[in-house]
Amino acid sequence: MQLAARFAADLAALWPEEEREGPLGLAVSGGPDSLALLLLAHAALPGRIAVCSVDHGLRPEAAGEVALVERVAAARGIPFTPLAVKLAPGNLQAQARAARYAALAEWAAAQGLGAVATAHHADDQAETLLMRLNRGSGLAGLAGVRPRALLEGSEIPLLRPLLGWRKAELAQVVAEAGISPADDPSNTDPAFDRARLRARLAEADWLDPVQIAASAAHLAESWQALEWYAELDWHEMVMREDTPEGLPGYTYCANVPRVIAIETILRIIRALGGHATRSEAARAWERLWAGENASLGGVLAVPGVERVEKVGVMMRVWRFRPEPTRGSVN
């Protein structure tokens, strides 16, 4: 009961009672982490949860893992839905993740769920932060896995209430319930970066994953502050100015730190129907700051320096327009 109360408090911090308009959906793979999520949620919210399990079609054992989750759910009277996804060619882990979350969003909408929870925990968060530090990620990446987000393409909250829990704690919950969880061999396959890092972390007992996860949470707060400032920058320093040909265009008075300007550039590109990554937007900022044209996501940005009447000073003014079609004559 003590663990159930702890889980209920962690969940309430992300999903207050007054915001709940439907059952809590759980994504359960059959591994110890997600089975612990099922057991804790069942104890804390009896009769108010639903479970699904996704088969990505990558391993023959997956069907048995889905069946395991179904048995555990059925024994507790929990509604269960099996989901199967097909993966597009490319990076299998990335494709699996995208397909899984798309399937979760569709399931949640069809079942009228109020939110969906996954079993990411402190050890996962520590691995994510260290991997991204090693790759030189920016603040958005270093914020790690967010405790609360939205399922992509929907307004359904995606919750991660176990980010303050250790993997060993969750395994103990499952063991005490007398359940033998599934074992995904990819978790220890040295072919994957995360598995190699996980093995090294197990050897470094001086590292505290809970404190590393707390650092990721602090970085996430910092990122939220920057997002707030970027929203302000968009509304105050970006103006819609269509071209003489009637094409949409935007003028940006760029007077903020680089990290915020990058977010505004990305938003302008999206508003013009294009797509760019943060690294591409960063390179565009560097060119524009140096007084050079930049092209990204089908958009041409031209820098200048002008007196801006609303602030009464000379400022960098960058104009964004759809990039001319190749071979067109201006």
Side-chain angles (χ1 to χ4, degrees), residues 15-260:
W15 195 38
E17 285 280 358
E18 60 271 18
E19 293 182 11
R20 301 179 187 181
E21 296 182 353
L24 176 65
L26 308 176
V28 181
S29 67
D33 310 334
S34 60
L35 284 174
L37 174 66
L38 184 158
L39 295 170
L40 290 167
H42 176 60
L45 300 170
R48 292 188 287 162
I49 63 173
V51 169
C52 79
S53 192
V54 181
D55 183 350
H56 300 90
L58 296 176
R59 296 181 296 108
E61 302 87 355
E65 292 163 5
V66 172
L68 166 64
V69 178
E70 183 173 16
R71 289 195 300 274
V72 173
R76 290 157 179 80
I78 302 169
F80 173 79
T81 303
L83 300 174
V85 298
K86 293 184 178 180
L87 305 185
N91 182 317
L92 280 181
Q93 286 197 322
Q95 291 291 342
R97 182 186 184 281
R100 179 168 63 253
Y101 280 108
L104 288 176
E106 185 176 345
W107 169 66
Q111 298 293 322
L113 303 179
V116 171
T118 64
H120 292 86
H121 48 72
D123 296 72
D124 289 330
Q125 187 73 300
E127 293 164 8
T128 297
L129 178 56
L130 292 173
M131 287 175 64
R132 292 178 181 178
L133 278 169
N134 193 49
R135 295 172 182 169
S137 296
L139 190 56
L142 296 180
V145 178
R146 307 303 198 273
R148 175 172 171 143
L150 293 176
L151 282 168
E152 189 170 349
S154 78
E155 294 300 315
I156 300 170
L158 174 62
L159 311 175
R160 292 163 176 126
L162 298 179
L163 287 178
W165 297 61
R166 293 297 309 274
K167 183 177 183 67
E169 291 182 284
L170 300 174
Q172 185 64 27
V173 169
V174 177
E176 290 179 356
I179 299 172
S180 297
D183 180 25
D184 183 347
S186 68
N187 289 331
T188 55
D189 187 344
F192 297 107
D193 291 345
R194 185 177 289 272
R196 292 198 299 274
L197 175 63
R198 183 174 294 134
R200 296 296 180 269
L201 278 174
E203 299 168 0
D205 56 3
W206 55 274
L207 285 173
D208 186 343
V210 173
Q211 293 305 313
I212 296 174
S215 292
H218 297 324
L219 289 166
E221 288 181 355
S222 300
W223 180 246
Q224 287 178 331
L226 289 178
E227 286 185 310
W228 180 87
Y229 197 172
E231 181 77 14
L232 194 66
D233 192 44
W234 164 263
H235 288 292
E236 293 195 352
M237 293 298 176
V238 178
M239 289 139 291
R240 170 79 179 249
E241 290 184 358
D242 293 347
T243 68
E245 297 79 18
L247 296 174
Y250 289 90
T251 295
Y252 176 32
C253 301
N255 191 44
V256 293
R258 171 180 174 274
V259 67
I260 295 167

